[in-house]
Amino acid sequence: MSSALDEDTRETLDAGRETAGAMLRAAQKDLQKVFIFFLIGFLGTFYALRLYVWDFLKRVTRAQMSAGISGDVSIIAQTPFDVILLQAKIGLVVGVVLALPAFLYFSRDALVERGLWPSSPVPVWQLALIFVGMVTLFVLGVAYGYFVFFPFTFAFLAQNAIAAGFSPTYSIVKWAQFIFLLTASFGLASQLPLAMTGLSYAEIVPYETFRDKWRYAVVGVFAVGALFTPPDPFTQIMWAIPVLALYGVSLYLAKVVTTARRGSEKMDVKATVRAHWNVIAGVGVLGGVLVYAFFERGGVGYLNDGLAAIGSDYVILAPSSTGLLVGYVLLAVVVAAVVAVGYFVYHDLDDLAVVEAGVGDPSAIDLADLDADGVRAAPPEVFAALDEDEAMAAAGDALDAGERAKAQAIIDRFDEDGASDGDEGDAGDGDGSAAPAESEATAAESGGSIGDRFSRAGSTFFDEFGDDSDEADGDSDEESDDFEGYYTDLAFILDSITSRAFRIVGLFMLVLAGTFGWLYTGGIKRVYEDFLSRLPAQVTPEEVLNVVALHPMEALVFEVKFSTIIAGLVTAPVLAYYAWPALRERNIIRQRRRAVFLWTGALAAGLLGGFALGYSTIAPAVISWLVNDAVQANMVIAYRITNFFWLIFFTTAGIGILADVPILMILLNSAGVGYGSMRGRWREVTVGVLAFAALFTPADVLTMFLVTIPLMVAYGIGLGVLFVITLGGRRDLAPPRSIDV
């Protein structure tokens, strides 16, 4: 039996196993020392959590809460082993982190033999400096999280849960995971200055990439914030603003170190200090004066008042003696002077780099640093120094970066000013001029200009990508044609609504914000109380049924998901209205656009009718049946917000959605989607329903199938109804395609 792995993969795995075995053998005599490091990390973390950390985290959680809200917040263990297992897991992670560097050090001989250990020794002071910088930045990031972000975030989340009528009863596992995940994110985000400057200095990622791609960085920061923080603007801004500020500082530091590296041979710190000594001294004196004025003019008091205004108990102490005040002033003088020296050194190097690259040698200009306009304005010497392969490579890099206009500009300029001009000039008849006929023939034989060949190469690539070979069988051709047809139709429809995208997205966001605002400001509590009033008298919130939040973000996540569903339902008719002409032109549907109103009315009637039936009858009956055993056994039920409200949603709005499935299928058939097509595409429908359930239901497999199975049953009922109406698919409700309606 042939192996499922290719030869390269097997060789890589074998080499990895061999290296791991060699490392274990090399470190065998020192494994006891490695285990000691692990044991220190494991036991130290275990007892630190038990004696100090949990109390500290609880104080951080309640730091900005009022007395009433703080009293309602509780941290619970769902099982008898939650606390001890959580402490053991965290201790294991810390122990491994501490033991890993020791293991790598003791197994260095095996790594050296295989060339995996750094060949050139790095000075110890440089390693120490990098390590101190990493630790300092990590501590600053974590400090911001624990003393600013977490107190305000937990106060906001607890207040939101209580306002909605729920109990913020956090599971210690979910609460700790939330805190430690955000702690790690703040600590890693704080490494931006060190990471960006290191990558730029080593030219692994050029400074220009960080500079030119700042928009992507902003989007990435907010995307990470959306994943790691509660889905409300306040906490996302509290996450994003410090990280973006760090990115700006890191970008400047990357520019400084890049400039220093590129001009290191020209650096003359002494000459810079001599040239600007008066300004440097003035800046140092100014820094000392400002620090002196801060302490002598009541700055400490103003700062403490500001901390008290935001609810902080921290107090900054003024210098207790004249000697300490003088020390602060002298430190400020030195720091300000050093900053001024660094500023002038950087400026001298930057000016020198600009002069050398821009004036002394035009061919030294790097095309990667230019945009499309810069390529068109560059001097001819830049392209005269390139050969065809270099020009093609530069254009390819621009295409990879998504800069098609820049790639075309490089090709055009190379055709005009590149090395090919000189070759053509040499191919003349002795006086340096080329015969036109001969030039054209040569160009035709070689494929024309580089621009023509570049375009044809791209076309040929996509042609080959789209059609494997002339020997493909008929089934493959048919599948390829079907796929191409689906893609063409989809692209045409999307293009038709592009001009209306602002309105569609605006309506979606407006409905999303309005629904979320209504839920957040008490709407969810009013719905909850009204629903409880429909339950039997023996099921009361105080005695039997309670709804709790086991995760700090649970209430907000449900509100956002529910708001997204409502926004999607409201936006769908508008999207259909704008896409209708394109759908009709592609013969996907045959009715005129006014049919959108009929569709919207029919679907809304089915949805509202099913919702009314579910809310008034089905949902209360289901909830009462589920808690009946608990009532008989005198037990108290604590439902999670997510499970309880999704159960209500499925038994109310879910009934309406199920009723809408056959209605939608009849409407689609009347618009031109045949019964045979809907019956033949049931697999694609199933996959789509599963994807929907995975996105908009609680993250467990059981709930996903509980949503998918009823919807597919409703789809089967719709097929049965259509089978009867269309006489087995022989007479669809849509008029024939030859009739223009």
Side-chain angles (χ1 to χ4, degrees), residues 396-434:
D397 292 340
L399 282 178
D400 293 340
E403 299 174 342
R404 187 176 183 85
K406 178 180 175 180
Q408 188 62 49
I410 292 173
I411 297 301
D412 293 342
R413 288 300 308 276
F414 184 80
D415 284 340
E416 295 173 5
D417 305 314
S420 59
D421 292 344
D423 296 339
E424 291 173 5
D426 293 340
D429 53 359
D431 59 354
S433 62

Side-chain angles (χ1 to χ4, degrees), residues 117-403:
W117 192 263
S119 57
S120 57
V122 180
V124 176
W125 69 269
Q126 290 185 4
L127 293 176
L129 188 62
I130 294 173
F131 179 76
V132 170
M134 291 176 62
V135 172
T136 302
L137 291 172
F138 188 88
V139 169
L140 290 176
V142 171
Y144 171 80
Y146 280 93
F147 298 115
V148 178
F149 182 83
F150 283 129
F152 287 100
T153 299
F154 277 115
F156 166 78
L157 294 173
Q159 185 177 6
N160 175 64
I162 292 173
F166 310 134
S167 301
T169 308
Y170 301 146
S171 163
I172 189 171
V173 175
K174 300 182 183 300
W175 169 71
Q177 288 176 346
F178 178 73
I179 291 178
F180 291 139
L181 181 64
L182 280 174
T183 299
S185 69
F186 277 115
L188 294 176
S190 66
Q191 304 298 312
L192 266 178
L194 193 62
M196 287 176 61
T197 53
L199 293 172
S200 298
Y201 185 82
E203 295 289 343
I204 297 174
V205 179
Y207 155 75
E208 289 78 12
T209 301
F210 290 120
R211 180 196 63 195
D212 297 337
K213 304 299 182 182
W214 66 270
R215 295 176 181 85
Y216 298 99
V218 173
V219 174
V221 167
F222 277 98
V224 173
L227 291 175
F228 291 121
T229 65
D232 67 281
F234 177 71
T235 50
Q236 287 191 16
I237 289 173
M238 288 185 66
W239 154 268
I241 294 301
V243 177
L244 291 177
L246 269 178
Y247 187 85
V249 173
S250 305
L251 191 62
Y252 182 79
L253 292 175
K255 183 179 181 182
V256 170
V257 299
T258 300
T259 305
R261 181 181 182 277
R262 294 172 181 174
S264 58
E265 297 179 357
K266 306 292 184 180
M267 184 185 299
D268 192 345
V269 178
K270 294 181 179 179
T272 300
V273 173
R274 286 195 300 269
H276 305 285
W277 68 269
N278 52 343
V279 179
I280 294 172
V283 170
V285 172
L286 179 62
V289 170
L290 290 176
V291 170
Y292 178 80
F294 173 80
F295 288 115
E296 289 297 315
R297 298 295 181 179
V300 174
Y302 292 130
L303 189 56
N304 287 329
D305 291 342
L307 292 174
I310 62 175
S312 175
D313 296 330
Y314 297 100
V315 177
I316 297 177
L317 301 177
S320 56
S321 64
T322 304
L324 192 58
L325 176 61
V326 171
Y328 286 152
V329 171
L330 291 177
L331 180 62
V333 170
V334 173
V335 171
V338 170
V339 171
V341 170
Y343 173 81
F344 286 117
V345 169
Y346 162 72
H347 254 275
D348 290 347
L349 288 173
D350 196 28
D351 293 341
L352 180 62
V354 170
V355 170
E356 289 184 345
V359 178
D361 184 9
S363 63
I365 296 176
D366 189 355
L367 291 178
D369 299 337
L370 304 178
D371 56 12
D373 293 333
V375 170
R376 296 187 185 97
E381 291 84 356
V382 177
F383 302 95
L386 298 177
D387 58 26
E388 183 174 325
D389 292 337
E390 292 172 340
M392 290 286 286
D397 292 340
L399 282 178
D400 293 340
E403 299 174 342

Side-chain angles (χ1 to χ4, degrees), residues 35-51 87-88 90-92 94-95 98:
F35 181 72
I36 290 174
F37 278 95
F38 169 79
L39 204 60
I40 291 174
F42 175 75
L43 294 178
T45 302
F46 191 93
Y47 284 102
L49 287 168
R50 181 178 179 180
L51 299 176
Q87 293 176 169
I90 298 173
L92 284 173
V94 175
L98 285 181

